Amino acid sequence: MALAFEQGPIRPPSEAHSLLIRLTRNCPWNKCAFCNAYKGTTFSVRTVEDIKRDIDTIAEMSRLITRAQQENNVSELQARLHELDQYQLYHVANWLSYGGKTVFLQDANSLLMKTAALLEILGYLKEKLPTVERITSYARSTTLLRKSVDELAQLKQAGISRVHVGLESGCDAVLKFMDKGITAQQHIDAGKKVKAAGISLSEYVLLGLGGRKWAREHPFDTARVISAINPDYIRLRTLAVVENTPLFTKMQQGEWEEQSDTNTVEEEKIFLENLNGIDSRLLSDHSMNLLGEINGRLPHNKPAMLRIVDSFLALPEEEKNNYILGRRWGLYNRLGDMQDPSRHERVKNTLRSLQSQGTLDATIANLKYQMVRV
Ligand code: SF4
């Protein structure tokens, strides 16, 4: 069997060039109504010994790849390289090609491990992989609340540079309905702790999560919570309701109604308008987001970001549909792409055809669903 190390299925898009090291498996909460990332799996904490063995394997792969790159005659290395898992060899080579500087600790909530164990792993990781400069992890706010600021500061000192937190909503009614297992105030307290420890904080906001019922409260309360935390990064995501989730069932039973794409942009406007007193960097760095060009530093770029939102909302209905279809189809990344006559014409013809068949909404929903699955 090829020599390999263990990896989980998920990482944030911003960690595309990071080395993925698995500390825990799956999600210890696994109840959020909208999430199917770890459905049907069981959470477990890996042993420090197993994780160290993985780090040794990665260090060995790095050493062999570096030697193969430096030496002209690699034939003597080839037998050894073939003993390694080829996909992971590629992963490590890709990581090294970006300088071997960043590591993401998988899976959904690895800071749940005991602080002493985390410190031991981080120390070993830095010793065996000395090029590493940035180590990040997902963490649930409930987990962060259980650690003291002093413990978080020790983790920062040992190498944890950033935590990614799925805030999703700052509206208590939405958090409760979605079974997120946390309140808005707990999100605020956890976020403040991370910042007090000097760890960079990335908070994820899920547009559309309030559905039609909480269309105003969700963005308004979320802006209030984010403004109280002042995270380093705010990362926008857009909800797509997927099958095999409790939310899909609730929707089918009429307990929750999905927002339209246009209404989600209206939510985005309320959210942006109500972000106050913070200097976070806001990014719309996911292909599910309708307006991919929303990106900037608060408060300076807030007017420019709102202008983009208003430009979309001011479009005539037919042009809104043209943009939504083109974006979901992958032909547009930003509103300005509609100015390209050939792309616009192509989308326009398809739009008319789908409208005449009465299948526009179903096609857009299908395209959106496909994006969640990739
Ligand atoms: S905590 Fe995160 S990974 Fe776990 S169920 Fe909720 S959204 Fe999914």
Side-chain angles (χ1 to χ4, degrees):
M1 202 170 118
L3 184 62
F5 58 96
E6 190 169 325
Q7 285 187 305
I10 292 170
R11 53 141 180 88
S14 57
E15 304 289 345
H17 305 305
S18 297
L19 175 69
L20 307 179
I21 300 181
R22 195 176 209 185
L23 269 53
T24 59
R25 300 182 184 101
N26 310 312
C27 172
W29 178 249
N30 215 1
K31 291 182 189 173
C32 299
F34 55 88
C35 174
N36 71 344
Y38 297 101
K39 287 283 178 280
T41 63
T42 307
F43 178 76
S44 63
V45 178
R46 299 187 68 215
T47 66
V48 172
E49 290 68 35
D50 281 351
I51 297 162
K52 282 184 173 178
R53 208 171 300 121
D54 278 359
I55 293 170
D56 289 339
T57 301
I58 294 162
E60 171 72 351
M61 284 184 177
S62 303
R63 194 182 64 76
L64 289 170
I65 292 165
T66 306
R67 264 191 69 196
Q69 286 167 341
Q70 287 170 348
E71 295 175 19
N72 289 333
N73 182 3
V74 297
S75 58
E76 63 181 282
L77 292 171
Q78 285 191 342
R80 184 73 185 114
L81 285 166
H82 279 298
E83 289 170 12
L84 306 172
D85 181 289
Q86 296 300 296
Y87 173 78
Q88 293 189 336
L89 201 58
Y90 172 78
H91 173 70
V92 174
N94 181 56
W95 170 67
L96 288 173
S97 75
Y98 283 90
K101 293 180 180 164
T102 60
V103 170
F104 178 72
L105 306 176
Q106 297 177 303
D107 281 339
N109 190 22
S110 284
L111 291 201
L112 177 135
M113 286 181 85
K114 287 192 168 38
T115 302
L118 282 168
L119 292 172
E120 188 176 341
I121 292 161
L122 291 166
Y124 196 75
L125 193 159
K126 296 277 268 192
E127 178 196 329
K128 297 288 175 178
L129 306 172
T131 55
V132 172
E133 294 174 0
R134 189 188 84 186
I135 304 171
T136 67
S137 175
Y138 280 130
R140 274 174 52 74
S141 288
T142 45
T143 297
L144 295 166
L145 280 176
R146 281 199 285 272
K147 298 224 186 276
S148 66
V149 173
D150 183 52
E151 281 178 289
L152 292 171
Q154 285 179 50
L155 292 173
K156 156 85 180 167
Q157 185 67 28
I160 294 279
S161 337
R162 177 175 304 154
V163 293
H164 300 272
V165 175
L167 181 129
E168 328 296 5
S169 178
C171 172
D172 279 325
V174 175
L175 291 169
K176 187 157 182 248
F177 185 82
M178 295 294 166
D179 208 357
K180 186 73 194 163
I182 186 118
T183 64
Q185 187 58 48
Q186 286 173 312
H187 267 318
I188 293 172
D189 295 342
K192 285 185 169 175
K193 257 186 168 181
V194 172
K195 292 210 65 182
I199 297 175
S200 172
L201 176 62
S202 191
E203 296 271 9
Y204 290 72
V205 168
L206 194 49
L207 297 170
L209 193 63
R212 294 200 183 164
K213 184 170 179 182
W214 294 289
R216 185 167 169 77
E217 292 87 342
H218 168 54
F220 184 80
D221 289 348
T222 304
R224 178 184 62 80
V225 169
I226 288 283
S227 298
I229 297 172
N230 191 14
D232 298 271
Y233 296 92
I234 305 163
R235 295 182 186 274
L236 299 179
R237 296 289 177 267
T238 301
L239 176 70
V241 184
V242 286
E243 290 180 27
N244 303 323
T245 58
L247 184 58
F248 186 80
T249 308
K250 284 172 188 260
M251 192 168 76
Q252 288 199 314
Q253 291 170 345
E255 293 175 44
W256 184 91
E257 281 183 279
E258 192 174 16
Q259 285 277 54
S260 68
D261 276 318
T262 299
N263 287 345
T264 304
V265 177
E266 282 166 357
E267 263 188 26
E268 193 167 3
K269 180 176 163 81
I270 296 172
F271 176 66
L272 288 170
E273 281 175 340
N274 288 283
L275 289 172
N276 291 310
I278 58 175
D279 58 4
S280 313
R281 173 90 192 272
L282 190 145
L283 298 106
S284 180
D285 57 342
H286 198 281
S287 55
M288 275 296 297
N289 297 337
L290 211 53
L291 302 173
E293 64 267 61
I294 300 282
N295 184 348
R297 169 81 56 191
L298 294 160
H300 182 68
N301 299 125
K302 181 168 158 177
M305 291 190 272
L306 278 168
R307 271 198 298 277
I308 295 166
V309 170
D310 287 336
S311 299
F312 171 81
L313 293 173
L315 289 173
E317 212 54 37
E318 192 70 1
E319 289 300 283
K320 276 199 190 92
N321 284 334
N322 184 299
Y323 181 71
I324 292 167
L325 178 62
R327 173 71 172 147
R328 296 298 178 221
W329 195 0
L331 286 182
Y332 299 147
N333 286 318
R334 44 180 50 233
L335 271 182
D337 292 342
M338 291 176 80
Q339 305 305 318
D340 177 350
S342 72
R343 275 188 276 179
H344 187 271
E345 191 65 14
R346 198 170 155 204
V347 179
K348 189 169 135 187
N349 291 336
T350 307
L351 182 66
R352 287 202 176 142
S353 161
L354 292 170
Q355 281 170 330
S356 67
Q357 294 163 24
T359 54
L360 177 62
D361 290 348
T363 303
I364 289 175
N366 193 37
L367 288 168
K368 202 169 159 183
Y369 181 61
Q370 299 286 336
M371 292 170 90
V372 190
R373 294 175 68 196
V374 292

